[in-house]
Amino acid sequence: NAGVTQTPKFQVLKTGQSMTLQCAQDMNHNSMYWYRQDPGMGLRLIYYSASEGTTDKGEVPNGYNVSRLNKREFSLRLESAAPSQTSVYFCASSEVLLAGGPQDTQYFGPGTRLTVL
Amino acid sequence: KNQVEQSPQSLIILEGKNCTLQCNYTVSPFSNLRWYKQDTGRGPVSLTIMTFSENTKSNGRYTATLDADTKQSSLHITASQLSDSASYICVVSGANAGKSTFGDGTTLTVKP
């Protein structure tokens, strides 16, 4: 099993350009998440999808959009990239959104390192 | 606002020594608390999970404790190894939130 995969691994954009970060999981999980991690800071939730067909805003959604394409795939789009969006982006998945037990343990992908010039 | 605070921010120890990392939280009502290990350049990996009724959980050389009354948790690493060098992240889930609150992490460096 590959677990959670993310593409691309690295990306450099110019201000104003758009791009989509791809994420896929092969664990048949219902819930998926997008986080950003800035140096010296904790992970901050951008958007999440409790189940196929639903998406909700997290802590820092401005400047991003998401699509839960199917149960496996959850993409993050930057419509007009800004230097403040330079960060490492992590996708994660869990069996359920919140159950108080091991089922909601999140499994993370390897991250996408994005630089916006 | 739900918060998770970790201390120390960074820690350097010699190989073979023990260490303890701290996590204080204000998330309420509480559902569960997890410790994750994040190696440099990688995504976090779950080490332990504890619910309200559990006060100790071990995973090999890692032992997590939880005091739900004082809203504190600790992660104790025994007989440290060079491979323990990583960031350790405390994550607390609230029963009503549907989302988790992440601490900023403690960066542990184990030196030979």
PDB file of all heavy atoms in Angstrom, chain B residues 12-42:
ATOM      1  N   ILE B  12      18.167  19.263  23.136  1.00  0.00           N
ATOM      2  CA  ILE B  12      19.317  18.489  22.665  1.00  0.00           C
ATOM      3  C   ILE B  12      19.745  17.555  23.784  1.00  0.00           C
ATOM      4  O   ILE B  12      19.964  17.999  24.912  1.00  0.00           O
ATOM      5  CB  ILE B  12      20.497  19.406  22.269  1.00  0.00           C
ATOM      6  CG1 ILE B  12      20.082  20.376  21.160  1.00  0.00           C
ATOM      7  CG2 ILE B  12      21.695  18.568  21.815  1.00  0.00           C
ATOM      8  CD1 ILE B  12      21.134  21.419  20.820  1.00  0.00           C
ATOM      9  N   ILE B  13      19.853  16.261  23.474  1.00  0.00           N
ATOM     10  CA  ILE B  13      20.287  15.294  24.471  1.00  0.00           C
ATOM     11  C   ILE B  13      21.329  14.367  23.861  1.00  0.00           C
ATOM     12  O   ILE B  13      21.448  14.274  22.634  1.00  0.00           O
ATOM     13  CB  ILE B  13      19.111  14.459  25.032  1.00  0.00           C
ATOM     14  CG1 ILE B  13      18.444  13.641  23.910  1.00  0.00           C
ATOM     15  CG2 ILE B  13      18.099  15.352  25.729  1.00  0.00           C
ATOM     16  CD1 ILE B  13      17.383  12.686  24.425  1.00  0.00           C
ATOM     17  N   LEU B  14      22.055  13.668  24.727  1.00  0.00           N
ATOM     18  CA  LEU B  14      23.030  12.701  24.249  1.00  0.00           C
ATOM     19  C   LEU B  14      22.368  11.346  24.052  1.00  0.00           C
ATOM     20  O   LEU B  14      21.432  10.975  24.793  1.00  0.00           O
ATOM     21  CB  LEU B  14      24.193  12.585  25.236  1.00  0.00           C
ATOM     22  CG  LEU B  14      25.082  13.823  25.363  1.00  0.00           C
ATOM     23  CD1 LEU B  14      26.132  13.618  26.439  1.00  0.00           C
ATOM     24  CD2 LEU B  14      25.743  14.150  24.025  1.00  0.00           C
ATOM     25  N   GLU B  15      22.843  10.624  23.074  1.00  0.00           N
ATOM     26  CA  GLU B  15      22.351   9.281  22.795  1.00  0.00           C
ATOM     27  C   GLU B  15      22.380   8.420  24.058  1.00  0.00           C
ATOM     28  O   GLU B  15      23.344   8.447  24.818  1.00  0.00           O
ATOM     29  CB  GLU B  15      23.223   8.654  21.704  1.00  0.00           C
ATOM     30  CG  GLU B  15      22.745   7.317  21.199  1.00  0.00           C
ATOM     31  CD  GLU B  15      23.642   6.792  20.091  1.00  0.00           C
ATOM     32  OE1 GLU B  15      24.750   7.347  19.891  1.00  0.00           O
ATOM     33  OE2 GLU B  15      23.241   5.820  19.420  1.00  0.00           O
ATOM     34  N   GLY B  16      21.286   7.702  24.282  1.00  0.00           N
ATOM     35  CA  GLY B  16      21.198   6.841  25.456  1.00  0.00           C
ATOM     36  C   GLY B  16      20.484   7.481  26.637  1.00  0.00           C
ATOM     37  O   GLY B  16      20.056   6.777  27.557  1.00  0.00           O
ATOM     38  N   LYS B  17      20.368   8.796  26.612  1.00  0.00           N
ATOM     39  CA  LYS B  17      19.690   9.483  27.721  1.00  0.00           C
ATOM     40  C   LYS B  17      18.182   9.475  27.520  1.00  0.00           C
ATOM     41  O   LYS B  17      17.677   9.255  26.418  1.00  0.00           O
ATOM     42  CB  LYS B  17      20.179  10.932  27.814  1.00  0.00           C
ATOM     43  CG  LYS B  17      21.663  11.069  28.119  1.00  0.00           C
ATOM     44  CD  LYS B  17      21.989  10.504  29.487  1.00  0.00           C
ATOM     45  CE  LYS B  17      23.449  10.769  29.834  1.00  0.00           C
ATOM     46  NZ  LYS B  17      23.831  10.182  31.152  1.00  0.00           N
ATOM     47  N   ASN B  18      17.465   9.734  28.621  1.00  0.00           N
ATOM     48  CA  ASN B  18      16.006   9.842  28.584  1.00  0.00           C
ATOM     49  C   ASN B  18      15.601  11.303  28.480  1.00  0.00           C
ATOM     50  O   ASN B  18      16.370  12.202  28.836  1.00  0.00           O
ATOM     51  CB  ASN B  18      15.392   9.258  29.861  1.00  0.00           C
ATOM     52  CG  ASN B  18      15.791   7.813  30.093  1.00  0.00           C
ATOM     53  OD1 ASN B  18      16.137   7.109  29.157  1.00  0.00           O
ATOM     54  ND2 ASN B  18      15.760   7.394  31.355  1.00  0.00           N
ATOM     55  N   CYS B  19      14.395  11.546  28.010  1.00  0.00           N
ATOM     56  CA  CYS B  19      13.882  12.918  27.999  1.00  0.00           C
ATOM     57  C   CYS B  19      12.359  12.898  28.086  1.00  0.00           C
ATOM     58  O   CYS B  19      11.723  11.876  27.823  1.00  0.00           O
ATOM     59  CB  CYS B  19      14.326  13.677  26.747  1.00  0.00           C
ATOM     60  SG  CYS B  19      13.624  13.062  25.218  1.00  0.00           S
ATOM     61  N   THR B  20      11.807  14.036  28.481  1.00  0.00           N
ATOM     62  CA  THR B  20      10.358  14.174  28.603  1.00  0.00           C
ATOM     63  C   THR B  20       9.907  15.461  27.940  1.00  0.00           C
ATOM     64  O   THR B  20      10.457  16.538  28.203  1.00  0.00           O
ATOM     65  CB  THR B  20       9.923  14.178  30.079  1.00  0.00           C
ATOM     66  OG1 THR B  20      10.331  12.949  30.692  1.00  0.00           O
ATOM     67  CG2 THR B  20       8.419  14.314  30.189  1.00  0.00           C
ATOM     68  N   LEU B  21       8.915  15.330  27.083  1.00  0.00           N
ATOM     69  CA  LEU B  21       8.336  16.480  26.385  1.00  0.00           C
ATOM     70  C   LEU B  21       6.954  16.756  26.974  1.00  0.00           C
ATOM     71  O   LEU B  21       6.242  15.820  27.346  1.00  0.00           O
ATOM     72  CB  LEU B  21       8.215  16.184  24.884  1.00  0.00           C
ATOM     73  CG  LEU B  21       9.443  15.543  24.207  1.00  0.00           C
ATOM     74  CD1 LEU B  21       9.162  15.324  22.737  1.00  0.00           C
ATOM     75  CD2 LEU B  21      10.678  16.375  24.425  1.00  0.00           C
ATOM     76  N   GLN B  22       6.585  18.027  27.025  1.00  0.00           N
ATOM     77  CA  GLN B  22       5.346  18.418  27.679  1.00  0.00           C
ATOM     78  C   GLN B  22       4.327  18.993  26.692  1.00  0.00           C
ATOM     79  O   GLN B  22       4.693  19.613  25.690  1.00  0.00           O
ATOM     80  CB  GLN B  22       5.617  19.471  28.755  1.00  0.00           C
ATOM     81  CG  GLN B  22       6.568  19.027  29.848  1.00  0.00           C
ATOM     82  CD  GLN B  22       5.966  17.998  30.773  1.00  0.00           C
ATOM     83  OE1 GLN B  22       4.760  17.802  30.813  1.00  0.00           O
ATOM     84  NE2 GLN B  22       6.818  17.297  31.522  1.00  0.00           N
ATOM     85  N   CYS B  23       3.063  18.796  27.026  1.00  0.00           N
ATOM     86  CA  CYS B  23       1.971  19.338  26.225  1.00  0.00           C
ATOM     87  C   CYS B  23       0.848  19.766  27.158  1.00  0.00           C
ATOM     88  O   CYS B  23       0.372  18.958  27.957  1.00  0.00           O
ATOM     89  CB  CYS B  23       1.464  18.270  25.251  1.00  0.00           C
ATOM     90  SG  CYS B  23      -0.005  18.743  24.304  1.00  0.00           S
ATOM     91  N   ASN B  24       0.468  21.040  27.089  1.00  0.00           N
ATOM     92  CA  ASN B  24      -0.669  21.562  27.851  1.00  0.00           C
ATOM     93  C   ASN B  24      -1.733  22.010  26.863  1.00  0.00           C
ATOM     94  O   ASN B  24      -1.417  22.606  25.822  1.00  0.00           O
ATOM     95  CB  ASN B  24      -0.242  22.752  28.719  1.00  0.00           C
ATOM     96  CG  ASN B  24       0.765  22.356  29.771  1.00  0.00           C
ATOM     97  OD1 ASN B  24       0.876  21.196  30.144  1.00  0.00           O
ATOM     98  ND2 ASN B  24       1.528  23.333  30.252  1.00  0.00           N
ATOM     99  N   TYR B  25      -2.981  21.762  27.196  1.00  0.00           N
ATOM    100  CA  TYR B  25      -4.044  22.098  26.256  1.00  0.00           C
ATOM    101  C   TYR B  25      -5.234  22.714  26.968  1.00  0.00           C
ATOM    102  O   TYR B  25      -5.418  22.563  28.182  1.00  0.00           O
ATOM    103  CB  TYR B  25      -4.485  20.856  25.463  1.00  0.00           C
ATOM    104  CG  TYR B  25      -5.072  19.743  26.311  1.00  0.00           C
ATOM    105  CD1 TYR B  25      -6.441  19.670  26.529  1.00  0.00           C
ATOM    106  CD2 TYR B  25      -4.252  18.767  26.866  1.00  0.00           C
ATOM    107  CE1 TYR B  25      -6.989  18.652  27.299  1.00  0.00           C
ATOM    108  CE2 TYR B  25      -4.784  17.747  27.638  1.00  0.00           C
ATOM    109  CZ  TYR B  25      -6.154  17.692  27.844  1.00  0.00           C
ATOM    110  OH  TYR B  25      -6.684  16.688  28.611  1.00  0.00           O
ATOM    111  N   THR B  26      -6.036  23.427  26.180  1.00  0.00           N
ATOM    112  CA  THR B  26      -7.257  24.032  26.722  1.00  0.00           C
ATOM    113  C   THR B  26      -8.489  23.530  25.979  1.00  0.00           C
ATOM    114  O   THR B  26      -9.586  24.041  26.196  1.00  0.00           O
ATOM    115  CB  THR B  26      -7.205  25.571  26.619  1.00  0.00           C
ATOM    116  OG1 THR B  26      -7.124  25.941  25.242  1.00  0.00           O
ATOM    117  CG2 THR B  26      -6.012  26.135  27.383  1.00  0.00           C
ATOM    118  N   VAL B  27      -8.279  22.556  25.067  1.00  0.00           N
ATOM    119  CA  VAL B  27      -9.388  22.031  24.278  1.00  0.00           C
ATOM    120  C   VAL B  27     -10.445  21.425  25.194  1.00  0.00           C
ATOM    121  O   VAL B  27     -10.147  20.596  26.043  1.00  0.00           O
ATOM    122  CB  VAL B  27      -8.883  20.966  23.281  1.00  0.00           C
ATOM    123  CG1 VAL B  27     -10.053  20.363  22.509  1.00  0.00           C
ATOM    124  CG2 VAL B  27      -7.859  21.563  22.333  1.00  0.00           C
ATOM    125  N   SER B  28     -11.695  21.838  24.994  1.00  0.00           N
ATOM    126  CA  SER B  28     -12.787  21.325  25.809  1.00  0.00           C
ATOM    127  C   SER B  28     -14.087  21.376  25.012  1.00  0.00           C
ATOM    128  O   SER B  28     -14.332  22.353  24.303  1.00  0.00           O
ATOM    129  CB  SER B  28     -12.908  22.168  27.090  1.00  0.00           C
ATOM    130  OG  SER B  28     -13.934  21.665  27.923  1.00  0.00           O
ATOM    131  N   PRO B  29     -14.942  20.392  25.108  1.00  0.00           N
ATOM    132  CA  PRO B  29     -14.750  19.115  25.782  1.00  0.00           C
ATOM    133  C   PRO B  29     -13.730  18.246  25.046  1.00  0.00           C
ATOM    134  O   PRO B  29     -13.657  18.269  23.835  1.00  0.00           O
ATOM    135  CB  PRO B  29     -16.136  18.486  25.740  1.00  0.00           C
ATOM    136  CG  PRO B  29     -16.784  19.089  24.535  1.00  0.00           C
ATOM    137  CD  PRO B  29     -16.258  20.489  24.453  1.00  0.00           C
ATOM    138  N   PHE B  30     -12.995  17.494  25.815  1.00  0.00           N
ATOM    139  CA  PHE B  30     -11.863  16.719  25.314  1.00  0.00           C
ATOM    140  C   PHE B  30     -12.332  15.389  24.732  1.00  0.00           C
ATOM    141  O   PHE B  30     -13.220  14.733  25.276  1.00  0.00           O
ATOM    142  CB  PHE B  30     -10.899  16.491  26.473  1.00  0.00           C
ATOM    143  CG  PHE B  30      -9.761  15.561  26.168  1.00  0.00           C
ATOM    144  CD1 PHE B  30      -8.633  16.026  25.524  1.00  0.00           C
ATOM    145  CD2 PHE B  30      -9.816  14.231  26.549  1.00  0.00           C
ATOM    146  CE1 PHE B  30      -7.579  15.173  25.262  1.00  0.00           C
ATOM    147  CE2 PHE B  30      -8.767  13.377  26.291  1.00  0.00           C
ATOM    148  CZ  PHE B  30      -7.644  13.845  25.641  1.00  0.00           C
ATOM    149  N   SER B  31     -11.703  14.981  23.628  1.00  0.00           N
ATOM    150  CA  SER B  31     -11.991  13.677  23.042  1.00  0.00           C
ATOM    151  C   SER B  31     -10.765  12.765  23.123  1.00  0.00           C
ATOM    152  O   SER B  31     -10.829  11.706  23.734  1.00  0.00           O
ATOM    153  CB  SER B  31     -12.426  13.812  21.582  1.00  0.00           C
ATOM    154  OG  SER B  31     -12.591  12.525  21.012  1.00  0.00           O
ATOM    155  N   ASN B  32      -9.692  13.171  22.503  1.00  0.00           N
ATOM    156  CA  ASN B  32      -8.484  12.351  22.567  1.00  0.00           C
ATOM    157  C   ASN B  32      -7.242  13.195  22.330  1.00  0.00           C
ATOM    158  O   ASN B  32      -7.323  14.328  21.848  1.00  0.00           O
ATOM    159  CB  ASN B  32      -8.550  11.180  21.590  1.00  0.00           C
ATOM    160  CG  ASN B  32      -8.658  11.643  20.152  1.00  0.00           C
ATOM    161  OD1 ASN B  32      -7.766  12.287  19.625  1.00  0.00           O
ATOM    162  ND2 ASN B  32      -9.761  11.305  19.501  1.00  0.00           N
ATOM    163  N   LEU B  33      -6.095  12.635  22.683  1.00  0.00           N
ATOM    164  CA  LEU B  33      -4.816  13.318  22.516  1.00  0.00           C
ATOM    165  C   LEU B  33      -3.850  12.361  21.845  1.00  0.00           C
ATOM    166  O   LEU B  33      -3.745  11.192  22.236  1.00  0.00           O
ATOM    167  CB  LEU B  33      -4.266  13.782  23.866  1.00  0.00           C
ATOM    168  CG  LEU B  33      -2.973  14.606  23.843  1.00  0.00           C
ATOM    169  CD1 LEU B  33      -2.974  15.627  24.991  1.00  0.00           C
ATOM    170  CD2 LEU B  33      -1.726  13.758  23.906  1.00  0.00           C
ATOM    171  N   ARG B  34      -3.178  12.872  20.851  1.00  0.00           N
ATOM    172  CA  ARG B  34      -2.205  12.065  20.108  1.00  0.00           C
ATOM    173  C   ARG B  34      -0.838  12.719  20.146  1.00  0.00           C
ATOM    174  O   ARG B  34      -0.735  13.944  20.196  1.00  0.00           O
ATOM    175  CB  ARG B  34      -2.617  11.938  18.652  1.00  0.00           C
ATOM    176  CG  ARG B  34      -3.844  11.101  18.428  1.00  0.00           C
ATOM    177  CD  ARG B  34      -4.143  11.013  16.935  1.00  0.00           C
ATOM    178  NE  ARG B  34      -5.108   9.980  16.643  1.00  0.00           N
ATOM    179  CZ  ARG B  34      -6.411  10.112  16.825  1.00  0.00           C
ATOM    180  NH1 ARG B  34      -6.885  11.219  17.318  1.00  0.00           N
ATOM    181  NH2 ARG B  34      -7.221   9.118  16.531  1.00  0.00           N
ATOM    182  N   TRP B  35       0.170  11.889  20.085  1.00  0.00           N
ATOM    183  CA  TRP B  35       1.523  12.355  19.843  1.00  0.00           C
ATOM    184  C   TRP B  35       1.950  11.833  18.475  1.00  0.00           C
ATOM    185  O   TRP B  35       1.770  10.640  18.166  1.00  0.00           O
ATOM    186  CB  TRP B  35       2.486  11.848  20.917  1.00  0.00           C
ATOM    187  CG  TRP B  35       2.384  12.578  22.213  1.00  0.00           C
ATOM    188  CD1 TRP B  35       1.622  12.245  23.292  1.00  0.00           C
ATOM    189  CD2 TRP B  35       3.093  13.778  22.576  1.00  0.00           C
ATOM    190  NE1 TRP B  35       1.807  13.158  24.295  1.00  0.00           N
ATOM    191  CE2 TRP B  35       2.699  14.092  23.896  1.00  0.00           C
ATOM    192  CE3 TRP B  35       4.019  14.596  21.926  1.00  0.00           C
ATOM    193  CZ2 TRP B  35       3.207  15.220  24.569  1.00  0.00           C
ATOM    194  CZ3 TRP B  35       4.518  15.693  22.592  1.00  0.00           C
ATOM    195  CH2 TRP B  35       4.111  15.994  23.894  1.00  0.00           C
ATOM    196  N   TYR B  36       2.500  12.746  17.673  1.00  0.00           N
ATOM    197  CA  TYR B  36       3.024  12.391  16.364  1.00  0.00           C
ATOM    198  C   TYR B  36       4.520  12.657  16.348  1.00  0.00           C
ATOM    199  O   TYR B  36       5.017  13.581  17.002  1.00  0.00           O
ATOM    200  CB  TYR B  36       2.386  13.247  15.261  1.00  0.00           C
ATOM    201  CG  TYR B  36       1.004  12.837  14.825  1.00  0.00           C
ATOM    202  CD1 TYR B  36      -0.113  13.248  15.535  1.00  0.00           C
ATOM    203  CD2 TYR B  36       0.814  12.058  13.696  1.00  0.00           C
ATOM    204  CE1 TYR B  36      -1.383  12.889  15.123  1.00  0.00           C
ATOM    205  CE2 TYR B  36      -0.457  11.696  13.269  1.00  0.00           C
ATOM    206  CZ  TYR B  36      -1.546  12.123  13.984  1.00  0.00           C
ATOM    207  OH  TYR B  36      -2.809  11.763  13.572  1.00  0.00           O
ATOM    208  N   LYS B  37       5.228  11.869  15.540  1.00  0.00           N
ATOM    209  CA  LYS B  37       6.645  12.102  15.283  1.00  0.00           C
ATOM    210  C   LYS B  37       6.789  12.533  13.826  1.00  0.00           C
ATOM    211  O   LYS B  37       6.231  11.885  12.925  1.00  0.00           O
ATOM    212  CB  LYS B  37       7.450  10.814  15.514  1.00  0.00           C
ATOM    213  CG  LYS B  37       8.933  10.972  15.229  1.00  0.00           C
ATOM    214  CD  LYS B  37       9.648   9.624  15.314  1.00  0.00           C
ATOM    215  CE  LYS B  37      11.138   9.791  15.022  1.00  0.00           C
ATOM    216  NZ  LYS B  37      11.826   8.495  14.890  1.00  0.00           N
ATOM    217  N   GLN B  38       7.500  13.650  13.622  1.00  0.00           N
ATOM    218  CA  GLN B  38       7.725  14.126  12.261  1.00  0.00           C
ATOM    219  C   GLN B  38       9.214  14.217  11.984  1.00  0.00           C
ATOM    220  O   GLN B  38       9.899  15.098  12.505  1.00  0.00           O
ATOM    221  CB  GLN B  38       7.052  15.483  12.030  1.00  0.00           C
ATOM    222  CG  GLN B  38       7.174  15.966  10.584  1.00  0.00           C
ATOM    223  CD  GLN B  38       6.453  17.275  10.324  1.00  0.00           C
ATOM    224  OE1 GLN B  38       6.160  18.035  11.232  1.00  0.00           O
ATOM    225  NE2 GLN B  38       6.142  17.545   9.060  1.00  0.00           N
ATOM    226  N   ASP B  39       9.705  13.321  11.154  1.00  0.00           N
ATOM    227  CA  ASP B  39      11.096  13.385  10.723  1.00  0.00           C
ATOM    228  C   ASP B  39      11.256  14.528   9.731  1.00  0.00           C
ATOM    229  O   ASP B  39      10.298  14.906   9.039  1.00  0.00           O
ATOM    230  CB  ASP B  39      11.520  12.072  10.063  1.00  0.00           C
ATOM    231  CG  ASP B  39      11.577  10.919  11.050  1.00  0.00           C
ATOM    232  OD1 ASP B  39      12.086  11.125  12.179  1.00  0.00           O
ATOM    233  OD2 ASP B  39      11.090   9.823  10.717  1.00  0.00           O
ATOM    234  N   THR B  40      12.452  15.074   9.655  1.00  0.00           N
ATOM    235  CA  THR B  40      12.727  16.197   8.762  1.00  0.00           C
ATOM    236  C   THR B  40      12.359  15.821   7.328  1.00  0.00           C
ATOM    237  O   THR B  40      12.774  14.783   6.821  1.00  0.00           O
ATOM    238  CB  THR B  40      14.204  16.596   8.842  1.00  0.00           C
ATOM    239  OG1 THR B  40      14.505  16.964  10.189  1.00  0.00           O
ATOM    240  CG2 THR B  40      14.482  17.773   7.927  1.00  0.00           C
ATOM    241  N   GLY B  41      11.546  16.664   6.698  1.00  0.00           N
ATOM    242  CA  GLY B  41      11.177  16.441   5.314  1.00  0.00           C
ATOM    243  C   GLY B  41      10.114  15.380   5.088  1.00  0.00           C
ATOM    244  O   GLY B  41       9.860  14.990   3.949  1.00  0.00           O
ATOM    245  N   ARG B  42       9.494  14.931   6.160  1.00  0.00           N
ATOM    246  CA  ARG B  42       8.469  13.898   6.037  1.00  0.00           C
ATOM    247  C   ARG B  42       7.172  14.362   6.690  1.00  0.00           C
ATOM    248  O   ARG B  42       7.130  15.354   7.422  1.00  0.00           O
ATOM    249  CB  ARG B  42       8.942  12.606   6.726  1.00  0.00           C
ATOM    250  CG  ARG B  42      10.300  12.114   6.306  1.00  0.00           C
ATOM    251  CD  ARG B  42      10.285  11.559   4.910  1.00  0.00           C
ATOM    252  NE  ARG B  42       9.533  10.331   4.808  1.00  0.00           N
ATOM    253  CZ  ARG B  42      10.042   9.119   5.016  1.00  0.00           C
ATOM    254  NH1 ARG B  42      11.311   8.991   5.351  1.00  0.00           N
ATOM    255  NH2 ARG B  42       9.299   8.049   4.870  1.00  0.00           N
TER     256      ARG B  42
END
